[in-house]
Amino acid sequence: PPWLTYTDMNYQDYSQLRGEAREAFDAIEDWMADAFGKNRDTFVGEFDEESQEPLKRGMRYFAAGRSKDRRMFASWLFPKFQGDVNEARYREALVDILRVAGSSVAPKTRHKLSFDLGVLYFTADGGGNMLGVVASEDFPMAQAFKFLQEMLDVYDGIDISALDKADAVWKDERFRNDAFGVRDLAIAAWKRYARKEDGHAKDMNDQFAF
């Protein structure tokens, strides 16, 4: 019957998508094993600490840096997360990834690392620059990577090598946190992926049930 054929086709599509998703997760785990080897758990444990305040849902933090000298040229909390006491630890997680495995992150590949404060999603461009976000574990992975792709497109039109001549202003934290003035573009992109429950403590989930 037509309805049976339709159901079978849907199941086949679902199975294919599930297989592709499984391959993507396997690739992430393989990359983690290659990059960190037996030190993976030790590395993650370096920033696995309990939060000093209730963790909030959503995509909280963005950062970007260069693998060749580990200079961070973007670092900020998104709206709804200003004042997050874990900001320094989010940054530390990105810096540690940049230090340990930044040069091995292939352009436009997608990676994730879970730790006590949430999930770190990261990717890289073709110039050895790494971009990442920290989000709650319930935030959709696909949305996080869509945001990162938008940021890759933004930085693609910027000469990041100009940082080689920026020693004179590098001591200015405001410069380091948004060296190329793209924060407003990033926040506009973030708003397209933010959910109504974002910014609220995770134990408030039932208030947003449909």
Side-chain angles (χ1 to χ4, degrees):
W3 63 266
L4 181 59
T5 302
Y6 178 77
T7 302
D8 288 345
M9 289 180 64
N10 276 350
Y11 180 76
Q12 290 173 0
D13 291 342
Y14 167 75
S15 297
Q16 180 180 353
L17 289 173
R18 184 176 61 179
E20 291 174 354
R22 181 67 262 171
E23 290 177 4
F25 278 109
D26 288 344
I28 289 171
E29 291 302 317
D30 290 344
W31 179 87
M32 291 295 295
D34 291 340
F36 300 105
K38 296 180 180 179
N39 296 320
R40 180 190 186 281
D41 292 340
T42 301
F43 172 76
V44 175
E46 290 180 0
F47 46 85
D48 253 354
E49 301 178 20
E50 291 187 6
S51 174
Q52 300 303 308
E53 66 177 20
L55 293 171
K56 296 179 179 179
R57 305 180 69 185
M59 188 161 56
R60 309 176 192 132
Y61 173 80
F62 170 77
R66 305 199 303 183
S67 60
K68 73 174 186 177
D69 55 11
R70 298 192 292 277
R71 279 190 169 182
M72 304 296 288
F73 53 84
S75 175
W76 58 73
L77 292 166
F78 289 115
K80 297 186 178 183
F81 302 100
Q82 297 299 315
D84 189 329
V85 298
N86 297 306
E87 180 178 7
R89 290 160 65 191
Y90 300 153
R91 179 185 175 92
E92 180 183 352
L94 263 297
V95 170
D96 282 348
I97 288 285
L98 195 60
R99 170 177 56 83
V100 175
S103 60
S104 66
V105 180
K108 295 190 176 182
T109 54
R110 300 178 174 187
H111 308 283
K112 61 175 287 193
L113 180 66
S114 298
F115 63 118
D116 279 359
L117 298 179
V119 183
L120 171 59
Y121 297 101
F122 56 101
T123 187
D125 64 11
N129 306 299
M130 195 186 80
L131 290 71
V133 295
V134 174
S136 57
E137 63 269 15
D138 70 304
F139 191 82
M141 179 171 64
Q143 300 295 78
F145 282 120
K146 284 180 181 179
F147 170 81
L148 287 174
Q149 181 58 55
E150 288 200 38
M151 295 309 298
L152 283 173
D153 293 341
V154 168
Y155 282 112
D156 187 51
I158 295 173
D159 181 13
I160 297 177
S161 66
L163 293 177
D164 294 338
K165 303 176 182 178
D167 290 343
V169 294
W170 200 252
K171 293 181 180 180
D172 186 340
E173 184 178 6
R174 292 173 299 177
F175 175 81
R176 296 196 307 271
N177 287 347
D178 188 15
F180 299 102
V182 303
R183 188 195 305 257
D184 289 345
L185 290 174
I187 290 176
W190 171 86
K191 289 179 179 178
R192 288 193 285 275
Y193 302 109
R195 307 165 301 174
K196 65 179 182 180
E197 64 266 35
D198 290 347
H200 294 276
K202 292 194 296 182
D203 59 3
M204 298 177 66
N205 291 0
D206 57 331
Q207 293 188 20
F208 302 97
F210 291 97

